[in-house]
């Protein structure tokens, strides 16, 4: 039974890595606004679907309201949310806004995605502020001819997104320790 369990765990890990690679590629290549809106809407829909149908114990949770920021961190049953947090797709998504600005409707969808992925409070507020800043910089073309500054901004986005992901992961670990 131990070998079978180890084999299943390795297979699960491989599938998760493959899925993370696919979502990262999608995030990097969705440069037009319509494609990004579809992508972010799809990701948001998948997470909401998982949360409506399964909780940590496998019970139906259709009755849990999901308006506004989520007060529940992604759990192990939120497989897709975990993939998004573990991969670099959110970093790539936000970095891409510096060179390929998005329409306000797309930014609203990305904000909704952040609300599902990041814990409410300071972490979510920091993520939302980062989106606002990057959206405005991209919209105004402030970095269009500033290649060095754009690369510095992209590096900073990666650092901040990493910190936001780590905060979300720490919160999930804390909730898991209470089970």
């Amino acid at each position: 039974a131990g070998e079978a369990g180890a084999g299943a765990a390795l297979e699960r890990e491989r599938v998760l890595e493959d899925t993370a690679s696919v979502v990262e590629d999608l995030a990097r290549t969705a440069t037009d606004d319509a494609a990004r809106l579809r992508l972010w809407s799809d990701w948001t829909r998948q997470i909401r679907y998982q949360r409506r149908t399964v909780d940590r114990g496998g019970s139906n949770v259709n009755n849990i309201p999901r308006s506004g920021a989520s007060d529940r961190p992604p759990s192990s049953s939120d497989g897709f949310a975990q993939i998004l947090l573990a991969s670099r797709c959110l970093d790539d998504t936000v970095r891409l806004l510096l060179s390929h600005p998005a329409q306000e409707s797309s930014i609203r969808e990305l904000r909704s995605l952040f609300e599902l992925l990041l814990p409410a409070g300071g972490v979510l507020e920091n993520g939302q502020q980062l989106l606002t800043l990057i959206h405005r910089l991209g919209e105004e073309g402030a970095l269009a001819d500033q290649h060095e500054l754009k690369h510095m901004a992209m590096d900073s986005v990666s650092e901040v997104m990493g910190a936001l992901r780590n905060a979300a992961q720490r919160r999930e670990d804390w909730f898991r320790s209470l089970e």
Side-chain angles (χ1 to χ4, degrees), residues 53-67:
T53 57
V54 164
D55 71 5
R56 292 174 191 233
S59 303
N60 189 347
V61 292
N62 282 320
N63 58 345
I64 295 178
R66 289 284 168 232
S67 61

Side-chain angles (χ1 to χ4, degrees), residues 75-126:
S75 71
S76 55
S77 65
D78 293 336
F80 190 68
Q82 288 303 323
I83 290 168
L84 293 180
L85 283 172
S87 74
R88 298 195 50 85
C89 70
L90 294 177
D91 306 41
D92 294 339
T93 293
V94 176
R95 286 173 51 141
L96 196 61
L97 292 175
L98 288 167
S99 53
H100 296 84
Q103 298 294 319
E104 190 59 40
S105 59
S106 296
I107 294 297
R108 277 193 301 273
E109 189 63 39
L110 187 54
R111 286 182 188 283
S112 295
L113 182 61
F114 270 43
E115 288 175 357
L116 291 171
L117 293 172
L118 300 176
V123 174
L124 178 59
E125 288 172 22
N126 290 336

